[in-house]
Amino acid sequence: MTTNALSAFRASAERHHATVHEVTPADVGPTLDALVEPPAVGVAPGFDLPSSVETDPSPADLDAARTGVTVASLGIADYGTLVLEQDAAASEAASLFPERHVALLRTEDVVPSIGDALGTLGPRLRDGGSAILATGPSATADMGELVLGAHGPEAVDVVLVGEEYGDEAGSDSNVADAADPTTVDAGGTDAEADR
Amino acid sequence: MSEARREKAEKLHHLLETEGDTVAENTRLFNRGRYEATADLADYEALKDEARAIKEDAIERLPELIEELRDSVEANGGNLYVADDAADANRYVREVVTDRGDSVVKSKSMTTEELELNEALEEAGVDVTETDLGEWVLQVADEAPSHLIGPALHKSSEGIADLFNEQFDLEEPLETPRELTKFARDQLLVDIEEADVGITGANFVTADSGTVALVTSEGNARKSALVPDTHVAITGIEKVIPAVEDLEPFLELIGKSATGQDVPSYYSLLTPPLTSPPVDFERPNEAVTDDPEGREFHLVLVDNGRSAMREDPDLKETLYCIRCGACANSCGNFQSVGGHAFGGETYTGGIATGWETGVEGLESAAEFNDLCTGCTRCVPACPVKIDIPWINTAVRDRVNHMDGEGEFDFLVEGLTPDDEPAGLDRAKRLFGNFETLAKWGSATAPLSNWIAGSAPARWAMERWIGVSSERDLPEFQRETLVDWFETRGSRVDAADAEREAVLYPDVYTNHVAVERGKAAVRALEALGVRVVVPRSAAVGSGRAPLSQGMVETARGQAERFRDALSSELDRGRDVVVVEPSDLAAIRREYEKLLPADDYERLSESSFEVMEYVFGMLENGADGNELRAGDQEPVDYHAHCQQRTLGLAAHTVAVLERLGYEVTTSDTECCGMAGSFGYKSEYYELSMDVGEPLREQFGDDGRRVLASGTSCVDQLEALLSRPATHPVELIAPDTSPR
Ligand code: SF4
């Protein structure tokens, strides 16, 4: 994906209250270590997850989890949207129940528009697949003003993984923020105030 | 005031007092959000066209698409049921649910409100919990939704806090929106985890894949579909679109149109039965992936009048509606009173007239149909380009024919020779036939004005006809514009003329605002236009009867207008119109009232007066004889229909070119909306709708300009200082040539 689309993705995602961490494949491990606050659940084929992540969770695990890690199959640059496809491994539940959703996204999977994403999804949905186009954390204004964190997560971290980030020193600088336990611990309140 | 009018006025008064402020704040927030979100969208108009085209095609091919959808759903392992009516749908769902258990969690669905599904399930002993936070608030409060997308939009956070603190036994009282949200989420999570069946609606259903598309921000629809092993999706048959790829324009538009969010948090594109395993809290410690049972899915498509709507030329467009609520948010009256006044059994806002007529019947629509003033501000807001005001007009016509009481209304009848039914509301008949009244008024002025203004007459008008005694009545002029022009003649020779134009002497300009008409003639002449004001052109445009839903009377007037103006067009003359609502009739409604050729010819040759001035100046006319502004600051409120036609900018451009410093109003409609604000039961509402104008222009002391006759009257009432039409400001005092 072009650098333009990647920076557009990042800007749009952050406009919608998500945090984007740009990392090389080699840095995924440390980034997740910093972001994942146990108890955690998750499914991430192709990536190594921290040992604290329960990969075959029970309902009780889902209920208790503070962090859920999944892989987004596409990112939409126009809106900073994650395409979360459903599978038999309960990734839908892992992205929905915990307060914090950490989504891994490969730079080559970022597409410019909703139309592009639907172009890819069309055949998959016709084949019985389901997908969520998720933009930022869950939110509601039903109680009188905007509150982040309704039935779904109140914080979303996108770990954008690509070789291209190797060239720029310090591109993963906001991992340091996330590593600060107060940010992660603070859940919605501070996560919201941060942005 | 008659008893019925008094009751209506009291109900509106009550809502203005109780819910009005919260509704106004929230709808205006959404409305501003829509403007901001769509302003960034380069291809906004093209997306709307695309969305509309997909809906037109889908409704056209609906039976075929439903069969394709059935194949898709069944191939996936689900069931499709098409329910004829509410009872049929409720029976089917009740059987599915009671077969699986006795508890249901639901995500927001207006269609299930229409069916009264919750009541039907509760009667069968099923516990139903609404999981959308707004819907849940209403469930706790036992109230009806007041908005298509913000069901509890009429409730403030203080009101919700009081409700929760009263209803639940809480150690610490709840206060902030964040605390309220957290409390509701935790309560609802228990219900979701225990539920046997999850019920959702569907914003779209794609026939090619059997995918149910849901638009939410809270995540409750995701949970309701994911957690229980049985999912029932219920929606109207009109939600079916051909293919997954067709979702594109809708996903681009719906959030922006609805709340001004450029995209909501979640678009769930679910092709049930889901591959995701259910989350079975009865087995809390077993991995969810070794689910023994698998999933069950039912898609219930509800007809309930929709097939008949599809065959009804006036109501058919309603089926394109994606229920974004933009028509409500852009509506001045809705902003003031909300959906508890501006709605029927289920649906609220402008388009509710179509829905209620189609699914509940005319009586339900008749309750609130008057609240559409035809201002048309919803038209550019609608993402599928539905002509919502026309649906309201067509339904008003049916309502007029509905309750023929057959009273002999001697007072109005003599003045109102029309083809409308005998029992037609007297106020409607009076305003619908304003042309006849105006002729009599001018012929007998000033006597007519003295009589009409006298205390006994005002009392009688209020009592028998429903004209508010708070309003100043129009004053009829003895010398009409046509009389004046006949004596005076044209001051530009045909040989010297840049162009020739008819100044259309609409009923109001001809009989009441005669000075405004004279100013228009002088302004045009100053630009080298040879103007004529023929007596033969002094006919109604049809606007007055249209606004009262008197469609046949309006058609007759449109034909008379065409006949009167055709010979002028044959001579190469343009038609210049002072009153924006008349021009809107020509450019919009004539498409429905006249043959296509006539409509095209008239709409292409007719211009709003300041639009015409703008065109002349752009084409090199010398504007030196017009009155320059010399940096004078002015406040300007464009007419609502003029704005929908895209013509507000022309007035502003002319004024700025002449050196005025223009501040434009932020409000959609002044609230007067033709005759609406004159009706006694709507007087208070009308003034409330105008309130933002008072706030904006209140005491800045600047000159006030407005393009509509009724806007001028309303601004004068609101601001207690004179207001004028822009053409009166720029016209030279005396004819220059
Ligand atoms: S009529 Fe148009 S604006 Fe109104 S709710 Fe339906 S789609 Fe939205």
Side-chain angles (χ1 to χ4, degrees):
Chain A
M1 211 4 83
T2 63
T3 340
N4 266 353
L6 293 180
S7 51
F9 175 87
R10 177 181 182 141
S12 320
E14 292 184 341
R15 199 173 65 239
H16 292 104
H17 310 284
T19 309
V20 179
H21 312 270
E22 295 167 339
V23 303
T24 61
D27 281 334
V28 170
T31 306
L32 289 180
D33 284 340
L35 288 171
V36 170
E37 196 215 350
V41 293
V43 195
F47 293 96
D48 289 331
L49 289 178
S51 56
S52 61
V53 177
E54 172 55 62
T55 54
D56 197 8
S58 66
D61 295 332
L62 287 166
D63 228 2
R66 303 198 56 133
T67 313
V69 186
T70 70
V71 183
S73 64
L74 296 170
I76 301 172
D78 276 354
Y79 297 105
T81 302
L82 299 168
V83 176
L84 309 173
E85 287 185 64
Q86 298 201 2
D87 52 36
S91 68
E92 164 69 348
S95 68
L96 184 59
F97 275 79
E99 292 118 81
R100 176 173 297 261
H101 176 213
V102 177
L104 292 150
L105 172 65
R106 295 180 177 90
T107 51
E108 65 262 32
D109 293 329
V110 175
V111 297
S113 69
I114 289 186
D116 296 315
L118 289 172
T120 304
L121 286 174
R124 298 184 193 173
L125 298 191
R126 283 187 280 275
D127 218 23
S130 297
I132 310 293
L133 274 52
T135 312
S138 74
T140 184
D142 283 352
M143 300 296 165
E145 64 186 53
L146 182 72
V147 176
L148 298 183
H151 292 275
E154 57 190 35
V156 172
D157 288 277
V158 184
V159 180
L160 194 51
V161 186
E163 293 291 355
E164 52 268 66
Y165 298 125
D167 314 335
E168 304 162 40
S171 63
D172 54 347
S173 58
N174 52 9
V175 174
D177 283 350
D180 174 356
T182 56
T183 310
V184 177
D185 266 348
T189 321
D190 281 11
E192 190 186 344
D194 273 351
R195 316 192 221 289
Chain B
M1 234 189 288
S2 72
E3 200 47 41
R5 287 188 208 283
R6 189 188 315 280
E7 268 172 34
K8 191 168 259 180
E10 274 166 12
K11 178 177 175 195
L12 293 173
H13 174 77
H14 176 73
L15 287 170
L16 282 168
E17 294 281 304
T18 51
E19 299 179 354
D21 289 349
T22 308
V23 171
E25 192 184 320
N26 289 328
T27 48
R28 287 176 191 152
L29 195 72
F30 286 165
N31 200 40
R32 264 201 308 281
R34 189 192 70 251
Y35 280 117
E36 284 161 18
T38 56
D40 298 342
L41 205 56
D43 42 2
Y44 183 36
E45 292 304 315
L47 282 167
K48 290 196 282 185
D49 286 334
E50 208 186 318
R52 164 114 190 163
I54 291 167
K55 277 291 187 182
E56 280 181 3
D57 168 58
I59 296 303
E60 198 56 43
R61 296 195 289 128
L62 191 56
E64 171 198 327
L65 288 180
I66 291 175
E67 282 323 301
E68 187 188 341
L69 175 65
R70 183 186 301 283
D71 292 343
S72 303
V73 170
E74 288 175 358
N76 293 331
N79 309 280
L80 173 71
Y81 185 73
V82 179
D84 287 341
D85 55 21
D88 189 18
N90 289 342
R91 179 195 51 75
Y92 182 87
V93 178
R94 202 165 46 223
E95 279 169 18
V96 170
V97 170
T98 50
D99 203 37
R100 308 295 291 183
D102 59 6
S103 61
V104 162
V105 284
K106 267 183 74 199
S107 73
K108 186 175 134 23
S109 149
M110 287 308 293
T111 308
T112 61
E113 298 275 347
E114 171 189 324
L115 302 175
E116 300 185 7
L117 176 70
N118 290 10
E119 290 76 0
L121 289 174
E122 279 157 6
E123 275 168 26
V126 176
D127 273 339
V128 184
T129 306
E130 294 288 350
T131 60
D132 173 88
L133 298 185
E135 283 285 351
W136 188 63
V137 166
L138 296 186
Q139 197 177 24
V140 173
D142 195 20
E143 285 178 26
S146 69
H147 190 280
L148 283 171
I149 58 151
L153 176 136
H154 59 285
K155 295 192 94 71
S156 63
S157 41
E158 295 77 39
I160 298 170
D162 291 347
L163 171 74
F164 284 3
N165 292 332
E166 199 174 292
Q167 291 281 323
F168 301 97
D169 204 11
L170 303 174
E171 284 172 21
E172 288 272 318
L174 300 166
E175 212 175 298
T176 63
R178 168 163 285 278
E179 288 167 1
L180 294 166
T181 301
K182 185 167 176 359
F183 171 76
R185 169 184 55 199
D186 293 348
Q187 291 278 314
L188 288 168
L189 186 59
V190 177
D191 293 307
I192 293 171
E193 292 181 351
E194 288 174 356
D196 298 307
V197 177
I199 295 183
T200 69
N203 293 80
F204 309 93
V205 184
T206 56
D208 62 338
S209 63
T211 301
V212 170
L214 291 157
V215 182
T216 66
S217 277
E218 294 180 358
N220 60 312
R222 286 176 73 183
K223 272 193 179 147
S224 302
L226 176 74
V227 176
D229 61 7
T230 304
H231 175 194
V232 181
I234 306 173
T235 197
I237 54 173
E238 82 284 4
K239 298 290 178 66
V240 183
I241 58 173
V244 173
E245 288 79 356
D246 293 327
L247 288 165
E248 184 185 356
F250 301 105
L251 303 192
E252 290 282 357
L253 289 169
I254 197 166
K256 298 178 184 75
S257 304
T259 58
Q261 274 178 298
D262 70 348
V263 63
S265 302
Y266 303 123
Y267 289 129
S268 298
L269 311 183
L270 307 178
T271 313
L274 300 181
T275 43
S276 293
V279 187
D280 184 356
F281 281 88
E282 282 177 13
R283 303 179 304 135
N285 297 313
E286 288 172 40
V288 295
T289 49
D290 37 74
D291 164 58
E293 296 273 334
R295 289 183 172 277
E296 186 175 318
F297 173 62
H298 299 263
L299 174 58
V300 181
L301 292 183
V302 179
D303 188 315
N304 206 28
R306 287 164 175 79
S307 290
M309 291 167 77
R310 192 169 160 266
E311 304 294 325
D312 180 325
D314 292 322
L315 297 183
K316 182 176 174 182
E317 268 198 307
T318 308
L319 298 171
Y320 308 156
C321 172
I322 61 170
R323 303 200 178 156
C324 70
C327 51
N329 301 334
S330 59
C331 172
N333 280 348
F334 192 96
Q335 290 176 356
S336 275
V337 289
H340 286 153
F342 205 145
E345 301 264 331
T346 308
Y347 297 101
T348 59
I351 193 60
T353 294
W355 283 118
E356 291 289 323
T357 307
V359 305
E360 302 286 354
L362 204 50
E363 282 82 8
S364 178
E367 287 274 308
F368 63 93
N369 170 263
D370 265 7
L371 288 174
C372 172
T373 63
C375 84
T376 69
R377 293 308 301 142
C378 52
V379 171
C382 177
V384 281
K385 297 198 157 181
I386 298 176
D387 192 345
I388 301 153
W390 178 260
I391 294 174
N392 277 283
T393 303
V395 168
R396 189 165 305 163
D397 188 50
R398 295 180 194 186
V399 171
N400 290 344
H401 286 82
M402 182 175 79
D403 50 17
E405 291 161 16
E407 279 178 65
F408 184 54
D409 298 325
F410 66 94
L411 188 54
V412 179
E413 209 117 308
L415 292 171
T416 57
D418 59 38
D419 303 330
E420 305 297 329
L424 179 63
D425 177 279
R426 298 180 189 102
K428 284 186 180 171
R429 175 154 278 174
L430 179 80
F431 289 117
N433 287 289
F434 188 67
E435 187 183 346
T436 318
L437 180 66
K439 278 186 189 148
W440 170 81
S442 277
T444 58
L447 185 65
S448 53
N449 295 321
W450 294 340
I451 296 175
S454 72
R458 291 311 302 257
W459 178 84
M461 271 191 264
E462 174 124 27
R463 177 79 184 81
W464 293 103
I465 315 176
V467 176
S468 170
S469 54
E470 319 266 357
R471 290 286 184 196
D472 291 335
L473 291 180
E475 238 177 74
F476 298 112
Q477 304 299 311
R478 185 82 192 213
E479 185 188 52
T480 65
L481 182 68
V482 167
D483 296 340
W484 169 80
F485 188 84
E486 252 175 18
T487 322
R488 172 187 181 271
S490 175
R491 300 279 162 95
V492 176
D493 285 342
D496 306 336
E498 301 287 334
R499 293 189 77 92
E500 289 200 27
V502 179
L503 184 84
Y504 166 54
D506 68 84
V507 178
Y508 208 88
T509 307
N510 195 30
H511 295 272
V512 181
V514 177
E515 290 307 317
R516 196 178 61 171
K518 294 179 188 172
V521 171
R522 290 197 303 271
L524 296 176
E525 288 179 343
L527 294 164
V529 180
R530 180 179 161 81
V531 184
V532 294
V533 190
R535 187 169 297 277
S536 58
V539 296
S541 68
R543 167 56 63 204
L546 268 178
S547 71
Q548 310 305 321
M550 295 154 65
V551 175
E552 279 321 303
T553 306
R555 194 186 307 280
Q557 289 197 9
E559 286 165 356
R560 205 158 44 115
F561 181 92
R562 172 201 58 200
D563 296 345
L565 274 300
S566 289
S567 56
E568 305 292 336
L569 297 182
D570 292 343
R571 286 191 202 128
R573 289 176 177 156
D574 305 313
V575 179
V576 176
V577 180
V578 180
E579 184 58 42
S581 64
D582 287 308
L583 184 69
I586 299 165
R587 288 210 190 153
R588 286 175 39 81
E589 280 93 349
Y590 278 15
E591 188 177 6
K592 307 252 178 4
L593 300 175
L594 292 177
D597 289 355
D598 295 342
Y599 159 66
E600 274 162 31
R601 185 159 189 238
L602 284 169
S603 68
E604 281 164 15
S605 322
S606 304
F607 304 89
E608 192 266 338
V609 59
M610 295 295 278
E611 178 193 20
Y612 200 76
V613 169
F614 175 82
M616 292 301 297
L617 291 172
E618 281 293 287
N619 284 300
D622 177 0
N624 286 342
E625 288 170 9
L626 296 176
R627 198 185 305 160
D630 209 9
Q631 311 314 313
E632 187 198 340
V634 293
D635 291 335
Y636 173 55
H637 174 67
H639 186 276
C640 42
Q641 289 169 337
Q642 175 192 9
R643 293 171 63 192
T644 297
L645 294 173
L647 297 178
H650 300 74
T651 300
V652 175
V654 169
L655 291 170
E656 286 180 346
R657 188 165 174 150
L658 291 175
Y660 297 91
E661 279 179 19
V662 187
T663 306
T664 53
S665 66
D666 300 329
T667 207
E668 297 285 0
C669 172
C670 70
M672 184 68 124
S675 60
F676 181 80
Y678 279 100
K679 294 181 180 173
S680 46
E681 67 273 39
Y682 300 127
Y683 170 74
E684 185 187 1
L685 170 57
S686 157
M687 292 300 278
D688 190 77
V689 173
E691 194 52 38
L693 280 167
R694 179 162 26 209
E695 281 163 23
Q696 194 186 353
F697 294 159
D699 41 22
D700 62 17
R702 293 192 283 243
R703 190 194 295 272
V704 185
L705 304 172
S707 299
T709 298
S710 57
C711 320
V712 167
D713 294 345
Q714 174 80 333
L715 279 161
E716 289 183 342
L718 286 164
L719 306 177
S720 311
R721 63 183 198 267
T724 40
H725 190 287
V727 82
E728 288 181 81
L729 178 62
I730 66 162
D733 280 334
T734 50
S735 203
R737 301 181 189 218

